[in-house]
Amino acid sequence: MNETKTATTDEIPAEPGFWRESWYQLTRNRAAMVGLVIIALFAILAIFAPLLAPADPVVQSISERMTPPLSPGYLLGTDDLGRDMLSRIIYGGRISLVIGVVSVGISLVLGGILGLAAGYFGGWTDRIIMRIIDIMLAFPYILLTIVIVAMLGPSLFNAMVAIGISQMPRYARVIRASVISEREQDYVLAERSLGTSDLELMFRTILPNALAPTIVQATLGVGEAILSSAGLSFLGLGAQPPTPEWGLMIASSKQFITTAWWIVTLPGIAILLTVLGFNLLGDGLRDILDPRMRD
Amino acid sequence: MQRIGRFEQTKPARLPDGPVLALASLLGREPSFMLKFVAKRLVSLIPTLLGVVTLVFFMIALTPGDPARIMLGERANAEQLAQLRAELGLDQPLVKQYGLYLSRVVRGDLGNSIISQQKITDELSERLPATIELALMATLFASILGIVLGVAAARKRNSWVDYTTMTGALVGVSMPVFWLALVLIMVFSIFLDLLPTGGRIDVRIYFKPITNFYLLDGLILMLKGEGTEVFVSALKHIILPTIALGTIPLAIIARTTRSSMLEVLKQDYVKTARAAGVKERKVVYRYALRNALLPVVTVIGIQFGLLLSGAILTETIFSWPGIGKWIYHAIGARDFPAVQGGILFISIFFVLINLTVDLLYSVINPRIRLK
């Protein structure tokens, strides 16, 4: 960023090199880089799925059903309906990554608005919002997700909404905490004395400073959202057949664990790797961006 | 004068360590302090519980679509629908429905299940022991192994023990529980044929439950000299669900123990003890571990609360006849009163466990109370 511009009032007051410095530190964190590489790999597979997948993920070929992995033409074998496992896993990544990002997006918007309002206005606004958050936290996370999706009706989109709502409280808390610590800082008071409106102060001045802890939370949240949505699909509350969703793939093949281990095992490994990627990256980011939360 | 005398009797210096000292000071010098603290927490519970009931009510009430129609299916006629609506109180205005619901809940009445026509409270209490038994076993498994691994990792920081444990912990929290459960069944039940695939006890064993905690029942029967059959079968059935359910808490407890232990080992009193020539084993297990376990206790408590509620997937896969599986079936059958009752029950349970953990923590860690 331009050094001279930071001095003017309409620029975020963070040190100019903060993000560049953080990135440099991140590249030196081996675990975080492994996580980033895993995520990048799955992202590339997801984006270029139609080019990279050897077959159509939903086309059945009954004569080739339950072909074991490493067979000619089927690197990871086929499932109980003769669909190519590799292609289904590649396409499954598309769904899981979209779920992760969209769910966290929903949480961020909801939690961001609530946390910002609670932290900025304080008083009764804060008390009411935090009471709602506490009540939501009184529900065990998984149960809340399952119930919301059961009420809305089972579908992939509703699963994302349910996960987004259930995860919202933690973002509201993180953002509220940062806002409270920034609210009384000199630069905010200075802006306020210049007559900047509340909305502008909230979104343009304070919010960028809540970014670091939020990024950490969001990275870990994507991994958790992927796990939750796989669980929902496994229970029949998320993706519906024949969608190549990883959790659903495991659910619909569970009766074949005696005969075809790979149909159950491989999608699980895909989930594990993706979530591991986000957790590794999230842990690394936490160490760098949010030293207070380090465990 | 008398005050001073009493103070001298409970002289802190003579007491062995932190937690005992905290308890003594609470009971001795400020008898009303703890009571006030507990009372305050209990009072703050009321709005939370009211909020939980309200949220559960409106979550179901505002569900798009007509619950009566969903329950009866598309072929139901208008008369049947009207009857069920009246039965469920759905023909009343929403505010009145809410008032009725609230007054019933306060009296401990969660209504009847649509499918079984049984009282929901009866159905829940019948299944509660199975859920608690599994959650306790999983917590025990996770705590013991987690603390041992966490301490080992902290003692040998940056060694292969540390790396393996922490990598394992990270993999543990990244794994889908239902997948782990299936893999465990695949390996231990199908390939190795060592353990059963599901249920609480071998169906061929006839036995009348005493406490409904099958492991405990098995022990009682064993002590009565009626054979080990029940205990062994119950134990065999609970192993795989325990591992599946306990893996995530295990990972979390191991990580917490490690970081807490590292923190404590840096403290001056540990350095002093080492410098004074106290044996390393004694420093670690007698002095450091006690304080390092403070945050771990909270984590264990929270995890136990989560396990009681989060066992839906595990219970379903292992056909474990607990509350999680029951709720799953209620959701599948669109048995709204049962879903409503089940969630309310679990959430209240969850809130109470968290409160207990909080209070326990404040007893063992005086620093919290001072805030």
Side-chain angles (χ1 to χ4, degrees), chain A residues 131 138-140 150 279-280 283, chain B residues 48 170 174 255 309 334 347 350:
Chain A
R131 183 52 80 181
F139 290 92
N279 282 340
L280 283 168
D283 279 357
Chain B
T48 307
L170 209 57
S174 307
R255 286 178 80 167
S309 64
R334 300 244 143 206
S347 306
F350 187 64

Side-chain angles (χ1 to χ4, degrees), chain B residues 3-295:
Chain B
R3 247 194 108 76
I4 296 170
R6 227 174 86 200
F7 179 75
E8 279 174 344
Q9 271 176 1
T10 55
K11 216 191 227 170
R14 295 185 57 188
L15 289 161
D17 52 13
V20 178
L21 193 120
L23 205 59
S25 73
L26 275 176
L27 300 173
R29 276 191 303 176
E30 300 165 89
S32 63
F33 194 95
M34 196 66 200
L35 269 178
K36 265 189 206 157
F37 186 72
V38 173
K40 214 174 131 192
R41 292 304 313 262
L42 283 177
V43 169
S44 78
L45 203 62
I46 295 168
T48 307
L49 289 180
L50 189 68
V52 168
V53 178
T54 310
L55 196 61
V56 167
F57 173 79
F58 283 103
M59 217 144 60
I60 308 276
L62 299 180
T63 297
D66 177 5
R69 161 76 65 194
I70 292 164
M71 280 180 225
L72 292 174
E74 293 302 322
R75 272 164 294 176
N77 59 39
E79 207 175 306
Q80 288 171 311
L81 284 172
Q83 199 195 336
L84 184 65
R85 275 197 207 108
E87 236 172 78
L88 297 172
L90 295 171
D91 49 353
Q92 311 276 344
L94 200 61
V95 180
K96 199 172 172 203
Q97 283 185 45
Y98 173 63
L100 282 173
Y101 184 69
L102 212 56
S103 72
R104 280 197 298 129
V105 168
V106 170
R107 279 179 280 127
D109 176 11
L110 295 180
N112 290 347
S113 151
I114 298 284
I115 302 168
S116 68
Q117 295 296 331
Q118 304 263 330
K119 276 176 90 176
I120 288 165
T121 40
D122 289 349
E123 296 227 1
L124 286 168
S125 53
E126 194 182 301
R127 288 168 177 82
L128 190 59
T131 296
I132 294 184
E133 187 173 47
L134 180 55
L136 271 178
M137 286 296 283
T139 309
L140 212 64
F141 160 76
S143 309
I144 295 173
L145 206 56
I147 291 172
V148 169
L149 290 175
V151 170
R155 282 188 68 185
K156 303 260 158 67
R157 195 180 184 182
N158 295 332
S159 71
W160 67 269
V161 182
D162 190 14
Y163 286 127
T164 318
T165 310
M166 287 306 111
T167 310
L170 209 57
V171 171
V173 291
S174 307
M175 219 172 349
V177 174
F178 58 95
W179 176 75
L180 173 66
L182 288 171
V183 171
L184 287 171
I185 292 177
M186 195 156 79
V187 174
F188 291 98
S189 308
I190 293 164
F191 291 155
L192 300 174
D193 198 18
L194 287 173
L195 296 165
T197 55
R200 276 182 94 185
I201 195 156
D202 198 318
V203 284
R204 283 163 300 185
I205 294 177
Y206 171 77
F207 106 106
K208 220 174 155 204
I210 309 161
T211 60
N212 248 321
F213 290 90
Y214 283 12
L215 282 174
L216 196 63
D217 287 353
L219 275 178
I220 294 172
L221 289 175
M222 231 156 79
L223 292 174
K224 277 178 162 176
E226 292 180 26
T228 56
E229 204 184 28
V230 170
F231 182 74
V232 171
S233 179
L235 191 64
K236 274 186 166 177
H237 279 80
I238 211 170
I239 291 176
L240 292 185
T242 298
I243 298 174
L245 194 60
T247 298
I248 290 179
L250 167 62
I252 295 171
I253 292 169
R255 286 178 80 167
T256 313
T257 309
R258 174 183 178 271
S259 58
S260 167
M261 195 73 187
L262 286 176
E263 201 58 43
V264 171
L265 287 176
K266 273 191 294 195
Q267 305 277 317
D268 284 341
Y269 79 94
V270 173
K271 284 183 196 156
T272 313
R274 278 186 179 146
V278 180
K279 274 194 206 126
E280 181 65 19
R281 279 186 74 86
K282 201 173 170 189
V283 171
V284 171
Y285 293 105
R286 281 288 298 280
Y287 302 148
L289 186 58
R290 285 187 180 202
N291 281 311
L293 283 184
L294 282 177

Side-chain angles (χ1 to χ4, degrees), chain A residues 131 134-144 146-154 227 230-232 234-237 246-247 250-251 254 257-258 260-262 264-269 271-273 275-277 279-280 283 286 295, chain B residues 44 47-48 50-53 55-56 59-60 63-64 167 170-179 182-183 185-186 190-191 248 255 259 305-306 309-310 312-313 316-317 327-328 331 334 336 339 342-344 346-348 350-351 354:
Chain A
R131 183 52 80 181
D134 280 347
I135 290 167
M136 288 187 72
L137 286 170
F139 290 92
Y141 165 73
I142 275 291
L143 193 68
L144 188 61
I146 289 177
V147 171
I148 296 174
V149 87
M151 294 304 113
L152 296 175
L227 273 185
L232 289 175
F234 181 80
L235 291 173
L237 296 170
W246 292 336
I250 297 173
K254 60 175 186 267
I257 49 175
T258 44
W261 58 268
W262 60 93
V264 169
T265 318
L266 295 176
I269 293 174
I271 299 174
L272 171 60
L273 282 175
V275 178
L276 187 65
N279 282 340
L280 283 168
D283 279 357
R286 164 155 56 200
D295 57 17
Chain B
S44 78
T48 307
L50 189 68
V52 168
V53 178
L55 196 61
V56 167
M59 217 144 60
I60 308 276
T63 297
T167 310
L170 209 57
V171 171
V173 291
S174 307
M175 219 172 349
V177 174
F178 58 95
W179 176 75
L182 288 171
V183 171
I185 292 177
M186 195 156 79
I190 293 164
F191 291 155
I248 290 179
R255 286 178 80 167
S259 58
L306 281 172
S309 64
I312 294 184
L313 285 159
T316 308
I317 292 171
I327 289 187
Y328 171 65
I331 289 173
R334 300 244 143 206
F336 285 113
V339 176
I343 309 158
L344 189 61
I346 286 189
S347 306
I348 292 175
F350 187 64
V351 170
N354 284 345

